[in-house]
């Protein structure tokens, strides 16, 4: 856990057309206030696509700002994580073309946190076991995990860039 309102996280760009890569770097740079020079590598799970990742530090809420900036390119696949900080839950965001954006709170160890009010609402709206399971899978981001997993595996061992937010 971080202190003083600062936190850290990771941006995983799982796939991007090469022409979009400079725009992704500009979006990250503009959000963090430091120049992002990512190391792009081929994405074996999608011919002609590139992948990169960078770790970042900044104030709580920076993860959501990074996501907002990256959503300008709906053809890329990405994830953004933000670790919990003093008084603030962690978050995980996933974006996949065709699915859009998924967002969840995370615990200190990275597990998805589902609140009791969310569970009560799902239980009340479900018409049976299958409906309940489907709604829980939505809350856990199962469709996004399924869509992104081949791209995650293809990035194992890829270089990571560290960036620190200014101010």
């Amino acid at each position: 856990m971080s202190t003083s309102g600062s936190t850290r996280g990771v941006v995983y760009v799982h796939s991007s057309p090469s022409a979009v890569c400079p725009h992704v770097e500009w979006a990250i740079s503009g959000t963090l206030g430091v120049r992002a020079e990512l190391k792009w590598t081929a994405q074996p799970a999608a011919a002609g696509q590139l992948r990169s990742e960078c770790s970042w530090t900044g104030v709580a809420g920076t993860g959501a700002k990074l996501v907002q900036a990256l959503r300008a390119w709906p053809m890329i696949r990405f994830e953004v994580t933000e670790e919990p900080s003093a008084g603030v839950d962690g978050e995980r965001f996933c974006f996949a073309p065709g699915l859009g954006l998924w967002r969840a709170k995370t615990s200190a160890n990275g597990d998805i946190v589902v609140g009791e009010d969310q569970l009560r609402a799902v239980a009340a709206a479900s018409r049976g076991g299958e409906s309940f399971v489907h709604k829980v899978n939505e809350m856990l981001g199962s469709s996004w995990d399924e869509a992104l997993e081949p791209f995650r595996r293809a990035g194992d061992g890829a270089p990571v860039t560290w960036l620190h937010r200014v101010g």
Side-chain angles (χ1 to χ4, degrees):
M1 233 197 243
S2 301
T3 59
S4 304
S6 69
T7 188
R8 60 186 177 180
V10 181
V11 175
Y12 302 93
V13 180
H14 294 300
S15 69
S16 174
S18 60
V20 177
C21 293
H23 300 283
V24 169
E25 289 185 18
W26 295 331
I28 293 170
S29 297
T31 302
L32 296 177
V34 296
R35 186 171 175 177
E37 293 183 38
L38 304 180
K39 294 178 178 97
W40 294 94
T41 59
Q43 173 50 273
Q49 299 280 307
L50 299 174
R51 65 157 327 278
S52 188
E53 60 189 69
C54 64
S55 295
W56 58 268
T57 59
V59 298
T62 298
K65 290 176 182 174
L66 286 163
V67 170
Q68 183 178 0
L70 293 173
R71 286 185 68 190
W73 298 279
M75 74 290 295
I76 67 174
R77 290 172 181 84
F78 67 86
E79 291 181 79
V80 175
T81 63
E82 179 171 314
E83 292 183 5
S85 55
V88 181
D89 292 328
E91 290 190 286
R92 182 173 142 216
F93 304 83
C94 298
F95 185 89
L99 290 175
L101 182 66
W102 172 81
R103 177 183 194 173
K105 301 288 184 188
T106 57
S107 66
N109 69 347
D111 285 344
I112 302 303
V113 175
V114 177
E116 67 180 81
D117 288 340
Q118 289 176 285
L119 285 175
R120 288 178 205 273
V122 165
S126 298
R127 294 181 210 90
E130 199 171 303
S131 174
F132 181 79
V133 168
H134 175 74
K135 290 184 183 299
V136 168
N137 281 334
E138 283 180 353
M139 287 190 300
L140 297 177
S142 297
S143 294
W144 284 263
D145 281 339
E146 186 177 305
L148 295 175
E149 191 58 30
F151 297 89
R152 292 173 182 148
R153 281 196 308 260
D156 287 348
V160 179
T161 303
W162 279 92
L163 301 172
H164 302 279
R165 182 176 168 93
V166 176

